[in-house]
Amino acid sequence: MAGPRASVVVPVYQAERHVEETLRSVLAQTYADLEVVVLDNACTDATPHILARYADDPRLRVVRNATVLPLAENWNAAVSLATGDLVKVVCADDLVHPDIVARQVAAFEADPGLALVSCRRHIVSEDTRVIASDRGLMGLTGRHSGRETVRRVVRNGGNPIGEPGCVMFRRVDFDSTGGFDASLVFPMDIDMWVRLLKFGDFHGLPDSLAAFRAGTGSISAGVTAAMYADQRRLTDRLGSDPFWQVDRTSRLLGRAGNVSSQLRHRALFLASARANRRFGAGRELDWSL
């Protein structure tokens, strides 16, 4: 019997604070031909008990690791559990619009040449108040060739495509890349998106169909100078890779873009820290389009 068309995988670790809200947003999808796979990375907090509340949902499958896996290994293991042709990874504190899977599957079905579909997103605080609206995909809405997309990534110096919750990809392409690169942390997602673009083109949906939580416990909140250096090295590597045919102007702009990306990231988390201290600051998340 054929599997589902699409899979949403949620790798979780010590996620008791937000995982229920995340899971509810994933299970609220309007797209019917869907499976949801949660990989419990040997959590010792209340996460397993929260997940157990949803055991009756036939779309949901929960798998538990015997021991804690490193980040990239855990994400790769989560994707390996998916049986759908199209996959998206949603971090255990982020949120997705009820129509995101339907919209992204429709984009793939309309254009067999696509390797990657993303969308814009809101930035939310710990208590799910919007602190920044409609972010991402600068110059990348609509259809773009893989090479054009990577040139824009280099110019940006950061991750204009978006976090995992924004993105959907083909499982067969992911398997061909060998998975997320464990030598990277901060740029691990944009490195994967670029490698997937060797298999096809990119489409950016103009609506904000995901919400990234800029919380104090997120990976991005603890970014260090060494992680920024990883991002800079990745940008330089992409710019010098002959496959992508990146022009000299884009490479030079990318150096400046690395600095501005760092400043934007720091400003975002400072704003988030202020919002988190003022519980209820910012507007409520509203998924109306």
Side-chain angles (χ1 to χ4, degrees):
M1 184 173 64
R5 175 68 168 138
S7 299
V8 176
V9 299
V10 185
V12 301
Y13 178 66
Q14 308 298 70
E16 63 182 5
R17 184 169 184 181
H18 299 298
V19 69
E20 186 160 20
E21 189 178 14
T22 297
L23 189 57
R24 284 179 176 174
S25 79
V26 172
L27 293 174
Q29 292 304 301
T30 59
Y31 187 75
D33 194 11
L34 175 72
E35 71 168 356
V36 178
V37 181
V38 177
L39 181 57
D40 174 351
N41 196 15
C43 296
T44 58
D45 64 357
T47 297
H49 302 289
I50 295 168
L51 297 176
R53 298 172 191 164
Y54 297 86
D56 292 338
D57 193 308
R59 297 167 297 172
L60 177 64
R61 178 160 46 103
V62 177
V63 179
R64 180 176 170 85
N65 291 332
T67 59
V68 176
L69 298 179
L71 181 68
E73 188 177 342
N74 191 52
W75 283 24
N76 287 331
V79 175
S80 75
L81 294 169
T83 61
D85 300 322
L86 299 170
V87 180
K88 62 188 295 98
V89 178
V90 177
C91 295
D93 56 355
D94 294 340
L95 302 166
V96 287
H97 187 284
D99 290 335
I100 189 171
V101 172
R103 294 274 301 276
Q104 293 185 324
V105 169
F108 275 107
E109 292 182 341
D111 188 345
L114 295 179
L116 204 66
V117 175
S118 189
C119 63
R120 305 188 79 193
R121 84 284 200 226
H122 301 307
I123 312 297
V124 298
S125 63
E126 292 279 11
D127 61 332
T128 321
R129 310 285 292 191
V130 177
I131 56 178
S133 301
D134 303 317
R135 295 299 181 94
L137 295 188
M138 185 179 298
L140 283 173
T141 56
R143 192 186 196 281
H144 300 268
S145 71
R147 284 193 171 94
E148 181 187 354
T149 304
V150 173
R151 283 195 290 271
R152 289 187 177 275
V153 169
V154 171
R155 280 176 173 249
N156 180 272
N159 179 4
I161 291 176
E163 296 81 22
C166 299
V167 175
M168 180 175 278
F169 50 85
R170 298 183 191 277
R171 170 66 190 276
V172 65
D173 294 343
F174 180 88
D175 290 345
S176 297
T177 69
F180 291 102
D181 184 348
S183 70
L184 303 170
V185 177
F186 185 46
M188 186 174 77
D189 48 3
I190 186 61
D191 169 71
M192 171 53 67
W193 310 154
V194 167
R195 286 189 283 135
L196 286 167
L197 287 170
K198 289 192 172 183
F199 298 95
D201 293 335
F202 175 79
H203 188 89
L205 300 172
D207 294 317
S208 291
L209 301 173
F212 169 72
R213 195 182 304 275
T216 55
S218 69
I219 296 166
S220 297
V223 171
T224 64
M227 293 180 185
Y228 282 129
D230 271 352
Q231 180 73 65
R232 188 169 61 252
R233 284 191 290 270
L234 176 61
T235 301
D236 288 344
R237 189 178 80 215
L238 296 177
S240 61
D241 186 340
F243 181 87
W244 298 118
Q245 302 175 8
V246 178
D247 57 278
R248 183 172 183 272
T249 299
S250 294
R251 295 197 301 270
L252 291 173
L253 288 172
R255 295 289 182 92
N258 283 135
V259 176
S260 60
S261 177
Q262 292 178 36
L263 294 174
R264 290 194 303 270
H265 182 270
R266 287 170 177 162
L268 171 64
F269 277 87
L270 284 173
S272 175
R274 288 194 295 269
N276 290 332
R277 286 195 297 269
R278 301 193 309 273
F279 189 83
R283 66 176 175 84
E284 292 184 5
L285 178 64
D286 180 3
W287 283 128
S288 60
L289 298 175

